Amino acid sequence: RFVKGMENLKKGVFEGKTIPFHPKHVQFVDDLLQRANITTNNFSAIHWRAEKKGMDFMRCARAVNEVKHIMLHKMMTDATMKDEESSQHKFVLMSSLNENEDMMWSGSRNSIVNGTASSQQALHYLLRDNGFIKIDGLLEMQAKKVHDDPGMLAIYDLIIATKANNFATCAKGGKTGCNGVTKRLCDACNHVGKFGRLATSLRKDDADHRGSSFECWPSK
């Protein structure tokens, strides 16, 4: 479990509105998002843990972009967003991939060696061609120095997942939004670990949340 960056917590900490992170980290993320004109009312997040050996990066990147459009369609169908607002709704990509390979975890670096397409090509497709935003990109853009421990990015990602209107991940033992097709897609594109489960648990225990949480990437 994640400890660094979290408060020392008592039993029942996930109840009500509690977000179990040190306030300075929550404020840091709030300030970072605000500088990029992102608020809790205008963004969703998609988690892609790209640490699967032999994966096809571009196939999975296209799947991530499809998840974006499915989530937008659901928001409009549920009347939580007007059609004209869809172009203003931002999507944060939470991924172990990084344009700076030195910032990647070892599992991601190994998947690049064994991948069938360039990870940088996949990132370009999502970030440059389809408007996704990455937290480490925001840090660099705002001339902020990333914490000496790259693992702090995981803490920032958890805070973002909790704040997002809607959130899609591939959670271990996921149920919400999961079926045979979506589970196979998650397995093909992700190392399915504990992060997704922790993120969706935090969202469920936040009483203020009204958006959707997908424990598998939705698929048409």
Side-chain angles (χ1 to χ4, degrees), residues 4-200:
K4 191 170 185 178
M6 290 188 178
E7 302 264 25
N8 291 325
L9 306 173
K10 297 179 180 179
K11 185 177 180 181
V13 70
F14 293 139
E15 295 176 0
K17 302 178 182 179
T18 303
I19 299 176
F21 301 100
H22 194 289
K24 71 178 182 181
H25 298 311
V26 177
Q27 188 61 54
F28 177 82
V29 171
D30 282 343
D31 291 345
L32 191 68
L33 294 176
Q34 286 171 11
R35 291 190 191 103
N37 296 316
I38 298 174
T39 71
T40 53
N41 294 320
N42 77 342
F43 89 99
S44 296
I46 300 172
H47 175 226
W48 177 19
R49 190 167 176 183
E51 299 171 34
K52 194 81 169 183
K53 290 185 178 181
M55 66 184 293
D56 184 331
F57 284 100
M58 280 307 301
R59 177 203 171 201
C60 295
R62 286 190 289 269
V64 169
N65 196 48
E66 181 178 301
V67 171
K68 167 186 171 180
H69 289 289
I70 291 172
M71 293 170 77
L72 283 171
H73 179 73
K74 185 177 189 306
M75 283 185 278
M76 288 186 284
T77 301
D78 293 346
T80 57
M81 175 191 293
K82 297 178 181 178
D83 184 60
E84 60 269 21
E85 296 173 339
S86 63
S87 62
Q88 303 301 317
H89 193 81
K90 297 176 174 64
F91 278 82
V92 173
L93 174 66
M94 297 161 45
S95 178
S96 49
L97 294 180
N98 196 300
E99 291 180 301
N100 179 0
E101 293 184 8
D102 291 336
M103 292 294 295
M104 290 186 192
W105 295 355
S106 59
S108 293
R109 288 195 296 269
N110 291 340
S111 69
I112 289 172
V113 173
N114 294 281
T116 58
S118 166
S119 66
Q120 297 303 309
Q121 181 184 358
L123 280 174
H124 189 283
Y125 169 79
L126 292 172
L127 303 181
R128 310 293 168 80
D129 297 343
N130 288 286
F132 281 83
I133 299 167
K134 247 182 137 280
I135 182 66
D136 45 325
L138 289 175
L139 286 163
E140 182 177 352
M141 182 176 65
Q142 296 297 335
K144 290 286 186 181
K145 184 177 180 181
V146 179
H147 194 284
D148 289 339
D149 178 5
M152 279 303 298
L153 288 174
I155 296 297
Y156 300 151
D157 278 347
L158 280 171
I159 296 171
I160 288 171
T162 308
K163 290 178 172 292
N165 290 56
N166 304 281
F167 176 65
T169 185
C170 288
K172 193 170 185 178
K175 295 180 180 178
T176 305
C178 299
N179 56 43
V181 173
T182 59
K183 286 182 177 180
R184 285 192 294 272
L185 178 61
C186 278
D187 287 340
C189 293
N190 291 268
H191 169 76
V192 182
K194 296 180 180 179
F195 180 96
R197 169 60 57 212
L198 179 55
T200 53

